[in-house]
Amino acid sequence: MKKWLIAASAVVLLLLVGGLVWTHHNASTTTTSTAKSQSTKRAAKHSTPPLTLAELKASPKLTYSCLIYYAIKDTKLQRWQEVNDFQAGWQVEHFAKKHPTRYLVWSDMNITSAEKNLAPNWFSLSGDKVTYDSMIVHSFHKDQTATTTLPKVIKQLNADHAMKKVRSMPTKMTVLNHR
């Protein structure tokens, strides 16, 4: 009877130690895979590269997209909200001879001349300096303006994590260059 009690105690002790080892092994494996999946999620969040000045200089439509997005989201110029329809897109019109640095911005990439009844919002781009202009409707007050620079626009858009949104905007944009 004593031998049987010692043998049973030994089996129980072995099962207890084996269970602890097995539980510890599963917990460390779970922790490792959880840590791996969290680092993968973190990497996936920041997979869109930041906007750069060189990228904007290489793509005028991307530059216009950044400037329009910034005007809508970060300036206090109320009329720029009129071009806030990301589904309809934008028409950017440039009269090179008359205003070499001025770009008119219309809501809707397919807007016709007949639909252009009101003076549009516009921005000018001279080097890295950006000036926004917005006429105050039904008023004889001076136009509202705001100024900034391309590097400041890029910094703000990167801080807002708007890179992916801005990079998708050129597909909804028509640019008319009048010489």
Side-chain angles (χ1 to χ4, degrees):
M1 176 80 173
K2 203 174 190 183
K3 285 184 180 181
W4 186 84
L5 190 58
I6 291 173
S9 297
V11 168
V12 169
L13 185 62
L14 280 173
L15 288 174
L16 186 62
V17 169
L20 287 173
V21 168
W22 183 74
T23 304
H24 177 70
H25 175 72
N26 279 346
S28 67
T29 303
T30 304
T31 304
T32 304
S33 49
T34 302
K36 283 181 184 175
S37 66
Q38 284 177 350
S39 67
T40 304
K41 286 179 187 174
R42 238 180 264 133
K45 273 186 181 177
H46 300 292
S47 63
T48 304
L51 293 161
T52 65
L53 190 57
E55 184 180 14
L56 268 61
K57 297 283 186 185
S59 173
K61 279 180 111 174
L62 181 60
T63 302
Y64 307 154
S65 297
C66 288
L67 295 176
I68 291 168
Y69 187 92
Y70 182 86
I72 293 168
K73 301 292 184 180
D74 293 300
T75 67
K76 305 275 191 264
L77 303 176
Q78 189 174 7
R79 265 200 74 224
W80 274 91
Q81 295 308 307
E82 294 173 4
V83 296
N84 194 15
D85 188 346
F86 286 79
Q87 291 301 314
W90 307 268
Q91 187 178 98
V92 176
E93 197 168 8
H94 181 226
F95 294 90
K97 287 183 182 176
K98 191 173 183 181
H99 301 286
T101 64
R102 186 180 294 179
Y103 299 85
L104 309 178
V105 180
W106 304 94
S107 184
D108 189 351
M109 66 186 286
N110 298 312
I111 192 169
T112 64
S113 295
E115 296 171 311
K116 297 176 181 178
N117 298 323
L118 214 71
N121 293 303
W122 58 267
F123 63 85
S124 67
L125 185 57
S126 181
D128 286 348
K129 184 182 176 192
V130 181
T131 303
Y132 292 100
D133 188 276
S134 183
M135 178 192 82
I136 302 172
V137 182
H138 305 299
S139 171
F140 296 105
H141 292 90
K142 188 176 176 184
D143 289 6
Q144 292 181 326
T145 61
T147 59
T148 189
T149 64
L150 274 178
K152 286 180 183 177
V153 169
I154 293 168
K155 183 178 178 182
Q156 184 63 49
L157 297 181
N158 287 334
D160 292 345
H161 302 288
M163 299 85 70
K164 188 174 181 178
K165 182 73 169 178
V166 169
R167 285 190 178 105
S168 71
M169 287 171 64
T171 61
K172 295 280 190 172
M173 182 182 295
T174 304
V175 177
L176 302 177
N177 287 307
H178 304 285
R179 301 277 174 213

